[in-house]
Amino acid sequence: MSSSSLPRVCLFFFCCCYSVFVVFVKSVDAAAPKGPTGNVSRVEDAEYFHIYYGQTFKVVKNGVDGKSYLLIQDNTKMATRTKYCTGRIKSFVVPLFNYSIDTSDFPVSFFELLGLVESLKAITSDSITSECILKAYSEGNIEIVNKTDMEKLSHFTAHFISHFDGQQLCNFATFPPSEEDAPLQRAEWIKYIGAFMNAEVRANQVFDAVKANYMCLMNSATNRTTSFKSVVAWLEYKEGIWSFNEDAYKLKFVTDAGGENIDNTIRKNTYNASIPEELDELHAILSTVDVVIDETNAADPQTYNLSTFLDNIKIEDGSCFSFLTGHNLWRYDKRMRSPGSIDWFDAGIAQPHLVLADLLEAFFPTGNYTTTYLRNLAKEEEVISIDPQKCNRDSSQPMEPVIIPCQ
């Protein structure tokens, strides 16, 4: 072969190889599964769940109960031929068209924010703090089912629970946002529920609005000009013993609202009100505190008042305690349905920016802001009873999060 024909042969060989390569790449690309279509949620803050999307399915991995929930779109072949119910994997066809809730310590307001009340068909008790869900129950649109009636519960497309230590059926799904350590992490679990209902768009909208308002309020607290931060104590009395609370999300609320938690070495101690030396030590600590949040469990919160607190802690002269002279003794039972159902543990999880706004009023009082969850015990503020007749909106529509004016 002449030297002049060699370049033409090489060029021909290269073109043939390139053509084959292009055809191969196109065939691989056509055969490869495509990424998720439609609307998705990305987990940004929460630590204990993640969502993975396929073309016709999604997987919600729950880091609390260790389960993976395979959510299969109802208009696919997979929905008719795939069913999992093992110790680690459960499958559901979505969106769910009817579901039930074990209302024990369960934040039902997530479902209201997503506009899913019409698909809620059963609850295990009426000890909840949602006026509109209670109204739907009173009108016969929701029934009460015994939580031990497995036969009845098995007929719902899903039964959501917050505690996962008992018997579970194939349609049980755990929803434990309270396990998270920070307010926004707990609030982001709206995306978890949204995935079961194909309501990602709404879940994203609500969380974005809540997070933006929370961050704005937190930044406003940072910009407050005060000589010193308010020292805050979460305090509980149980069986004659006083103790300080160490829940991470509560401590986070305090710092985000511009306050300062008492030292962690102090929080680890307990104080017996019957032992003079321990009681005196507790009084000494409280004399350095600016704000007290009394978490004592009360059989009837409506009768728990300032006198109750003073009797339990054995304070006769309040002039030595700035949290008393400054009227900064609070409880978070302002909104309640019954002694065991306090809205702080429901809507307060879904809308933590409202809790933050309450704490801002406690730390930087203006006198013109009405708190949502905190009641001022020092000012003898009373409990507000939740009444289904107070539902003044169309519960078939999503409930809008409350946005606090913030600059």
Side-chain angles (χ1 to χ4, degrees):
M1 180 180 296
S2 67
S3 59
S4 60
S5 61
L6 184 61
R8 289 196 295 272
V9 172
C10 291
L11 179 61
F12 173 76
F13 180 76
F14 172 78
C15 291
C16 290
C17 290
Y18 179 77
S19 299
V20 172
F21 176 75
V22 169
V23 171
F24 173 75
V25 169
K26 287 184 177 180
S27 64
V28 170
D29 183 63
K34 297 180 181 179
T37 58
N39 302 300
V40 301
S41 287
R42 306 296 185 193
V43 181
E44 302 168 349
D45 292 83
E47 294 288 338
Y48 291 130
F49 82 94
H50 297 280
I51 308 175
Y52 302 91
Y53 288 87
Q55 188 175 3
T56 60
F57 69 90
K58 41 197 165 183
V59 174
V60 177
K61 293 186 69 67
N62 188 320
V64 178
D65 68 356
K67 286 185 171 57
S68 293
Y69 298 100
L70 172 61
L71 310 181
I72 307 168
Q73 298 296 344
D74 61 0
N75 58 354
T76 63
K77 290 182 179 180
M78 189 189 300
T80 60
R81 66 188 184 192
T82 303
K83 180 67 177 177
Y84 287 103
C85 182
T86 71
R88 296 298 299 274
I89 304 173
K90 289 185 178 182
S91 62
F92 295 83
V93 176
V94 297
L96 303 178
F97 60 87
N98 73 341
Y99 64 93
S100 56
I101 295 174
D102 182 346
T103 52
S104 302
D105 303 319
F106 197 98
V108 299
S109 58
F110 281 98
F111 295 87
E112 287 191 279
L113 289 164
L114 291 173
L116 302 172
V117 176
E118 278 194 320
S119 297
L120 174 59
K121 300 304 179 183
I123 53 181
T124 56
S125 78
D126 63 350
S127 295
I128 56 179
T129 57
S130 164
E131 289 96 346
C132 292
I133 291 180
L134 288 168
K135 183 179 180 182
Y137 163 64
S138 67
E139 293 175 346
N141 298 320
I142 297 174
E143 64 176 317
I144 287 186
V145 178
N146 192 310
K147 65 170 60 182
T148 63
D149 189 348
M150 298 298 169
E151 171 63 24
K152 181 70 173 179
L153 293 175
S154 68
H155 294 297
F156 299 103
T157 56
H159 178 62
F160 290 99
I161 58 176
S162 57
H163 303 287
F164 48 91
D165 51 357
Q167 180 184 358
Q168 289 195 31
L169 301 177
C170 291
N171 66 331
F172 279 32
T174 307
F175 180 66
S178 297
E179 296 294 325
E180 297 280 1
D181 289 335
L184 288 176
Q185 291 176 347
R186 292 148 64 97
E188 194 172 22
W189 278 72
I190 193 170
K191 296 179 182 178
Y192 181 100
I193 291 295
F196 281 82
M197 310 295 183
N198 284 354
E200 280 90 343
V201 171
R202 177 63 183 172
N204 294 341
Q205 290 173 345
V206 172
F207 181 70
D208 288 347
V210 167
K211 183 174 181 177
N213 204 204
Y214 189 101
M215 298 303 293
C216 183
L217 291 169
M218 184 180 73
N219 292 333
S220 72
T222 303
N223 296 330
R224 302 289 176 100
T225 55
T226 57
S227 300
F228 304 99
K229 294 182 178 180
S230 295
V231 179
V232 183
W234 301 80
L235 201 59
E236 181 182 17
Y237 182 68
K238 184 177 181 181
E239 298 178 353
I241 305 295
W242 282 99
S243 60
F244 294 99
N245 196 300
E246 295 187 273
D247 288 341
Y249 82 95
K250 294 173 183 173
L251 304 182
K252 176 70 169 154
F253 265 133
V254 168
T255 55
D256 287 351
E260 180 180 339
N261 292 291
I262 60 171
D263 186 82
N264 59 0
T265 58
I266 296 174
R267 291 197 305 269
K268 296 181 182 300
N269 298 329
T270 59
Y271 306 88
N272 192 323
S274 300
I275 300 177
E277 292 81 6
E278 293 188 15
L279 185 63
D280 197 45
E281 184 179 355
L282 175 61
H283 288 172
I285 294 169
L286 291 180
S287 66
T288 68
V289 171
D290 303 300
V291 179
V292 168
I293 302 174
D294 178 16
E295 301 185 80
T296 302
N297 185 40
D300 183 5
Q302 299 197 54
T303 64
Y304 193 105
N305 54 30
L306 177 60
S307 297
T308 310
F309 173 82
L310 295 177
D311 289 344
N312 288 339
I313 209 161
K314 296 180 171 33
I315 290 178
E316 296 180 358
D317 180 9
S319 61
C320 295
F321 303 92
S322 62
F323 71 90
L324 290 174
T325 57
H327 298 96
N328 247 329
L329 172 63
W330 302 83
R331 285 177 63 84
Y332 50 64
D333 57 6
K334 184 174 181 176
R335 282 177 44 83
M336 56 164 284
R337 165 72 173 171
S338 64
S341 55
I342 298 173
D343 205 25
W344 165 278
F345 297 109
D346 187 339
I349 297 177
Q351 299 193 64
H353 59 296
L354 300 183
V355 175
L356 191 65
D358 283 5
L359 292 172
L360 281 169
E361 181 63 23
F363 302 168
F364 309 98
T366 64
N368 58 9
Y369 177 78
T370 301
T371 58
T372 305
Y373 306 109
L374 293 181
R375 68 178 176 110
N376 195 321
L377 204 63
K379 294 183 177 180
E380 301 285 4
E381 191 173 1
E382 296 182 349
V383 169
I384 298 174
S385 294
I386 291 173
D387 184 346
Q389 300 307 315
K390 294 179 181 178
C391 174
N392 55 6
R393 65 179 189 83
D394 182 358
S395 60
S396 67
Q397 299 299 313
M399 178 177 70
E400 294 300 327
V402 178
I403 301 301
I404 304 299
C406 175
Q407 296 180 351

